C-alpha cells in the first residue's frame, strides 16, 4: 500500500473515531471503514460509499434509508 494512501486512510480513520466521540477500542473497525471508503473513492473516482460497504451513523450503527 502506498504511503500516501496509508496516510489518507489513517486520517479518515481518525475522523471516524472523532465523529464517534473518541471511544476506546474499535481501531480495527475504524481503519477497515476508512480503508473501504478510500479504496472505493480511488476505484470509482468519487466520494461515495463503495458498493458493498455500509455507511455508518456517527454512533457507528449502519445508516437506515
Amino acid at each position: 500500500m502506498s504511503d500516501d494512501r496509508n496516510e489518507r486512510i489513517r486520517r479518515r480513520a481518525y475522523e471516524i473515531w472523532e465523529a464517534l466521540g473518541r471511544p476506546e477500542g474499535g481501531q480495527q473497525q475504524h481503519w477497515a471503514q476508512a480503508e473501504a471508503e478510500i479504496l472505493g473513492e480511488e476505484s470509482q473516482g468519487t466520494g461515495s460509499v463503495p458498493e458493498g460497504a455500509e455507511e455508518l451513523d456517527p454512533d457507528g450503527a449502519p445508516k437506515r434509508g
Side-chain angles (χ1 to χ4, degrees):
M1 193 176 299
S2 75
D3 289 341
D4 180 57
R5 181 184 294 147
N6 251 354
E7 180 62 19
R8 290 175 57 217
I9 293 169
R10 186 195 65 75
R11 284 192 311 249
R12 180 61 187 131
Y14 183 83
E15 291 171 356
I16 292 166
W17 174 70
E18 282 194 318
L20 293 173
R22 300 180 175 186
E24 289 191 33
Q27 296 93 330
Q28 291 178 335
Q29 180 183 0
H30 304 152
W31 185 273
Q33 180 183 346
E35 185 175 42
E37 290 177 12
I38 298 301
L39 294 176
E41 289 173 7
E42 289 178 359
S43 68
Q44 296 178 8
T46 69
S48 63
V49 175
E51 185 177 335
E54 287 187 300
E55 190 172 358
L56 302 179
D57 285 329
D59 65 358
K63 284 191 173 181
R64 308 258 182 231

